[in-house]
Amino acid sequence: MSDDCIFCRIIKGEIPCSKVYEDKEILAFKDIHPQAPVHFLIIPKKHIATLADATLEDVPVLGRMLELAPRIAREQGASEGFRTIINTGRHGGQEVYHLHLHVLGGQPMPALLKY
Ligand code: AMP
Ligand code: ZN
């Protein structure tokens, strides 16, 4: 946990979120600035700053995040597919430095990786 990390603060309940899934290791909530009709984030409860900081120890939780994506996407109404994105670091366009998997759907996504 990191006191100055907004997503850690969401996990601790200090900042509200629109939760779509939670278990011991993982939280998923709607993106505050949705870029598609369905747009939520899946995050590990462990503070991992970026994908580049993940280690072998984090492989199980990363796998579970991927396995959850289609399940939650379907529940949220993305019945025709979805896009997953992990922005990493400055060149990756990462704004929040707590690893998160974007899941976007509910409409055809543009061909370019612009969202
Ligand atoms: P990234 O550019 O990949 O780091 O994406 C960060 C995402 O977090 C953006 O899509 C933001 O809209 C989203 N975001 C930032 N603050 C919050 C918040 N308090 N609740 C939900 N989503 C947030
Ligand atoms: Zn954090």
mmCIF file of all heavy atoms in Angstrom, residues 1-9 11 43-49 96-99, ligand 2:
data_model
loop_
_atom_site.group_PDB
_atom_site.id
_atom_site.type_symbol
_atom_site.label_atom_id
_atom_site.label_comp_id
_atom_site.label_asym_id
_atom_site.label_seq_id
_atom_site.Cartn_x
_atom_site.Cartn_y
_atom_site.Cartn_z
ATOM 1 N N MET A 1 0.835 -1.213 0.000
ATOM 2 C CA MET A 1 0.000 0.000 0.000
ATOM 3 C C MET A 1 0.865 1.257 0.000
ATOM 4 O O MET A 1 1.859 1.330 0.692
ATOM 5 C CB MET A 1 -0.886 0.041 1.257
ATOM 6 C CG MET A 1 -2.009 -0.969 1.215
ATOM 7 S SD MET A 1 -3.341 -0.419 0.136
ATOM 8 C CE MET A 1 -4.424 -1.839 0.232
ATOM 9 N N SER A 2 0.419 2.220 -0.778
ATOM 10 C CA SER A 2 1.158 3.468 -0.849
ATOM 11 C C SER A 2 0.187 4.612 -0.560
ATOM 12 O O SER A 2 -0.866 4.701 -1.181
ATOM 13 C CB SER A 2 1.770 3.588 -2.248
ATOM 14 O OG SER A 2 2.103 4.919 -2.520
ATOM 15 N N ASP A 3 0.527 5.439 0.432
ATOM 16 C CA ASP A 3 -0.382 6.504 0.876
ATOM 17 C C ASP A 3 -0.665 7.527 -0.202
ATOM 18 O O ASP A 3 -1.724 8.142 -0.230
ATOM 19 C CB ASP A 3 0.205 7.217 2.099
ATOM 20 C CG ASP A 3 0.069 6.350 3.339
ATOM 21 O OD1 ASP A 3 -0.725 5.392 3.301
ATOM 22 O OD2 ASP A 3 0.779 6.633 4.326
ATOM 23 N N ASP A 4 0.327 7.741 -1.086
ATOM 24 C CA ASP A 4 0.116 8.772 -2.099
ATOM 25 C C ASP A 4 -0.336 8.191 -3.442
ATOM 26 O O ASP A 4 -0.318 8.864 -4.459
ATOM 27 C CB ASP A 4 1.366 9.654 -2.259
ATOM 28 C CG ASP A 4 2.604 8.811 -2.494
ATOM 29 O OD1 ASP A 4 2.462 7.589 -2.715
ATOM 30 O OD2 ASP A 4 3.706 9.389 -2.453
ATOM 31 N N CYS A 5 -0.781 6.934 -3.419
ATOM 32 C CA CYS A 5 -1.269 6.307 -4.650
ATOM 33 C C CYS A 5 -2.797 6.312 -4.640
ATOM 34 O O CYS A 5 -3.427 5.784 -3.715
ATOM 35 C CB CYS A 5 -0.737 4.872 -4.742
ATOM 36 S SG CYS A 5 -1.529 3.907 -6.043
ATOM 37 N N ILE A 6 -3.374 6.920 -5.663
ATOM 38 C CA ILE A 6 -4.837 7.068 -5.700
ATOM 39 C C ILE A 6 -5.545 5.712 -5.721
ATOM 40 O O ILE A 6 -6.595 5.544 -5.092
ATOM 41 C CB ILE A 6 -5.254 7.973 -6.876
ATOM 42 C CG1 ILE A 6 -6.762 8.252 -6.835
ATOM 43 C CG2 ILE A 6 -4.861 7.403 -8.207
ATOM 44 C CD1 ILE A 6 -7.195 9.378 -7.729
ATOM 45 N N PHE A 7 -4.975 4.741 -6.419
ATOM 46 C CA PHE A 7 -5.652 3.433 -6.478
ATOM 47 C C PHE A 7 -5.514 2.681 -5.154
ATOM 48 O O PHE A 7 -6.435 1.962 -4.749
ATOM 49 C CB PHE A 7 -5.144 2.603 -7.665
ATOM 50 C CG PHE A 7 -5.647 3.098 -9.010
ATOM 51 C CD1 PHE A 7 -5.235 2.495 -10.188
ATOM 52 C CD2 PHE A 7 -6.539 4.166 -9.107
ATOM 53 C CE1 PHE A 7 -5.698 2.938 -11.424
ATOM 54 C CE2 PHE A 7 -7.010 4.624 -10.337
ATOM 55 C CZ PHE A 7 -6.577 4.002 -11.497
ATOM 56 N N CYS A 8 -4.388 2.834 -4.451
ATOM 57 C CA CYS A 8 -4.286 2.249 -3.108
ATOM 58 C C CYS A 8 -5.322 2.884 -2.185
ATOM 59 O O CYS A 8 -5.923 2.207 -1.347
ATOM 60 C CB CYS A 8 -2.883 2.446 -2.528
ATOM 61 S SG CYS A 8 -1.668 1.283 -3.177
ATOM 62 N N ARG A 9 -5.558 4.167 -2.361
ATOM 63 C CA ARG A 9 -6.560 4.850 -1.533
ATOM 64 C C ARG A 9 -7.972 4.348 -1.865
ATOM 65 O O ARG A 9 -8.815 4.245 -0.976
ATOM 66 C CB ARG A 9 -6.441 6.359 -1.692
ATOM 67 C CG ARG A 9 -5.099 6.874 -1.147
ATOM 68 C CD ARG A 9 -5.043 8.378 -1.078
ATOM 69 N NE ARG A 9 -6.017 8.881 -0.127
ATOM 70 C CZ ARG A 9 -6.454 10.143 -0.116
ATOM 71 N NH1 ARG A 9 -6.005 11.002 -1.011
ATOM 72 N NH2 ARG A 9 -7.337 10.534 0.777
ATOM 73 N N ILE A 11 -8.578 1.269 -2.876
ATOM 74 C CA ILE A 11 -8.601 -0.070 -2.259
ATOM 75 C C ILE A 11 -8.917 0.046 -0.765
ATOM 76 O O ILE A 11 -9.703 -0.719 -0.218
ATOM 77 C CB ILE A 11 -7.250 -0.793 -2.477
ATOM 78 C CG1 ILE A 11 -7.057 -1.132 -3.955
ATOM 79 C CG2 ILE A 11 -7.149 -2.053 -1.619
ATOM 80 C CD1 ILE A 11 -5.625 -1.442 -4.343
ATOM 81 N N ILE A 43 -7.425 -4.035 -11.081
ATOM 82 C CA ILE A 43 -6.136 -3.761 -10.428
ATOM 83 C C ILE A 43 -5.825 -4.820 -9.368
ATOM 84 O O ILE A 43 -6.725 -5.354 -8.725
ATOM 85 C CB ILE A 43 -6.102 -2.344 -9.780
ATOM 86 C CG1 ILE A 43 -7.028 -2.236 -8.565
ATOM 87 C CG2 ILE A 43 -6.447 -1.278 -10.809
ATOM 88 C CD1 ILE A 43 -6.876 -0.912 -7.801
ATOM 89 N N PRO A 44 -4.522 -5.089 -9.177
ATOM 90 C CA PRO A 44 -4.143 -5.940 -8.044
ATOM 91 C C PRO A 44 -4.217 -5.095 -6.772
ATOM 92 O O PRO A 44 -3.935 -3.890 -6.802
ATOM 93 C CB PRO A 44 -2.683 -6.310 -8.356
ATOM 94 C CG PRO A 44 -2.178 -5.170 -9.197
ATOM 95 C CD PRO A 44 -3.369 -4.604 -9.944
ATOM 96 N N LYS A 45 -4.588 -5.697 -5.659
ATOM 97 C CA LYS A 45 -4.596 -4.937 -4.402
ATOM 98 C C LYS A 45 -3.172 -4.641 -3.929
ATOM 99 O O LYS A 45 -2.940 -3.654 -3.241
ATOM 100 C CB LYS A 45 -5.398 -5.680 -3.335
ATOM 101 C CG LYS A 45 -6.892 -5.628 -3.619
ATOM 102 C CD LYS A 45 -7.715 -6.151 -2.463
ATOM 103 C CE LYS A 45 -9.200 -5.900 -2.744
ATOM 104 N NZ LYS A 45 -10.055 -6.506 -1.704
ATOM 105 N N LYS A 46 -2.240 -5.481 -4.336
ATOM 106 C CA LYS A 46 -0.829 -5.202 -4.047
ATOM 107 C C LYS A 46 -0.390 -4.013 -4.895
ATOM 108 O O LYS A 46 -0.693 -3.966 -6.099
ATOM 109 C CB LYS A 46 0.003 -6.442 -4.393
ATOM 110 C CG LYS A 46 1.491 -6.240 -4.267
ATOM 111 C CD LYS A 46 2.257 -7.482 -4.714
ATOM 112 C CE LYS A 46 3.753 -7.211 -4.742
ATOM 113 N NZ LYS A 46 4.502 -8.350 -5.309
ATOM 114 N N HIS A 47 0.320 -3.066 -4.297
ATOM 115 C CA HIS A 47 0.813 -1.931 -5.075
ATOM 116 C C HIS A 47 1.986 -2.367 -5.944
ATOM 117 O O HIS A 47 3.081 -2.608 -5.456
ATOM 118 C CB HIS A 47 1.237 -0.777 -4.161
ATOM 119 C CG HIS A 47 1.757 0.398 -4.945
ATOM 120 N ND1 HIS A 47 0.925 1.365 -5.467
ATOM 121 C CD2 HIS A 47 3.008 0.733 -5.337
ATOM 122 C CE1 HIS A 47 1.646 2.237 -6.139
ATOM 123 N NE2 HIS A 47 2.920 1.879 -6.066
ATOM 124 N N ILE A 48 1.714 -2.460 -7.241
ATOM 125 C CA ILE A 48 2.766 -2.700 -8.236
ATOM 126 C C ILE A 48 2.698 -1.477 -9.139
ATOM 127 O O ILE A 48 1.638 -1.192 -9.715
ATOM 128 C CB ILE A 48 2.484 -3.976 -9.063
ATOM 129 C CG1 ILE A 48 2.306 -5.209 -8.162
ATOM 130 C CG2 ILE A 48 3.600 -4.215 -10.078
ATOM 131 C CD1 ILE A 48 1.728 -6.434 -8.876
ATOM 132 N N ALA A 49 3.772 -0.713 -9.227
ATOM 133 C CA ALA A 49 3.687 0.585 -9.901
ATOM 134 C C ALA A 49 3.375 0.441 -11.393
ATOM 135 O O ALA A 49 2.514 1.152 -11.929
ATOM 136 C CB ALA A 49 4.975 1.375 -9.687
ATOM 137 N N VAL A 96 -1.558 6.813 -13.951
ATOM 138 C CA VAL A 96 -1.648 6.362 -12.560
ATOM 139 C C VAL A 96 -0.657 5.216 -12.372
ATOM 140 O O VAL A 96 -0.752 4.183 -13.049
ATOM 141 C CB VAL A 96 -3.080 5.905 -12.200
ATOM 142 C CG1 VAL A 96 -3.120 5.354 -10.783
ATOM 143 C CG2 VAL A 96 -4.071 7.054 -12.358
ATOM 144 N N TYR A 97 0.284 5.440 -11.436
ATOM 145 C CA TYR A 97 1.365 4.463 -11.255
ATOM 146 C C TYR A 97 1.002 3.385 -10.228
ATOM 147 O O TYR A 97 1.683 3.196 -9.210
ATOM 148 C CB TYR A 97 2.682 5.190 -10.957
ATOM 149 C CG TYR A 97 3.302 5.642 -12.269
ATOM 150 C CD1 TYR A 97 2.776 6.732 -12.960
ATOM 151 C CD2 TYR A 97 4.332 4.936 -12.861
ATOM 152 C CE1 TYR A 97 3.280 7.111 -14.198
ATOM 153 C CE2 TYR A 97 4.854 5.307 -14.091
ATOM 154 C CZ TYR A 97 4.324 6.389 -14.748
ATOM 155 O OH TYR A 97 4.833 6.745 -15.983
ATOM 156 N N HIS A 98 -0.100 2.709 -10.512
ATOM 157 C CA HIS A 98 -0.506 1.460 -9.840
ATOM 158 C C HIS A 98 -1.042 0.621 -10.991
ATOM 159 O O HIS A 98 -2.030 0.998 -11.629
ATOM 160 C CB HIS A 98 -1.582 1.752 -8.781
ATOM 161 C CG HIS A 98 -2.039 0.545 -8.003
ATOM 162 N ND1 HIS A 98 -2.055 0.494 -6.622
ATOM 163 C CD2 HIS A 98 -2.536 -0.651 -8.424
ATOM 164 C CE1 HIS A 98 -2.531 -0.684 -6.231
ATOM 165 N NE2 HIS A 98 -2.835 -1.397 -7.313
ATOM 166 N N LEU A 99 -0.363 -0.479 -11.253
ATOM 167 C CA LEU A 99 -0.692 -1.328 -12.410
ATOM 168 C C LEU A 99 -2.195 -1.525 -12.561
ATOM 169 O O LEU A 99 -2.886 -1.854 -11.592
ATOM 170 C CB LEU A 99 0.003 -2.680 -12.211
ATOM 171 C CG LEU A 99 -0.309 -3.808 -13.190
ATOM 172 C CD1 LEU A 99 0.068 -3.429 -14.606
ATOM 173 C CD2 LEU A 99 0.423 -5.064 -12.760
HETATM 174 ZN ZN ZN B 2 -1.056 1.802 -5.336
#
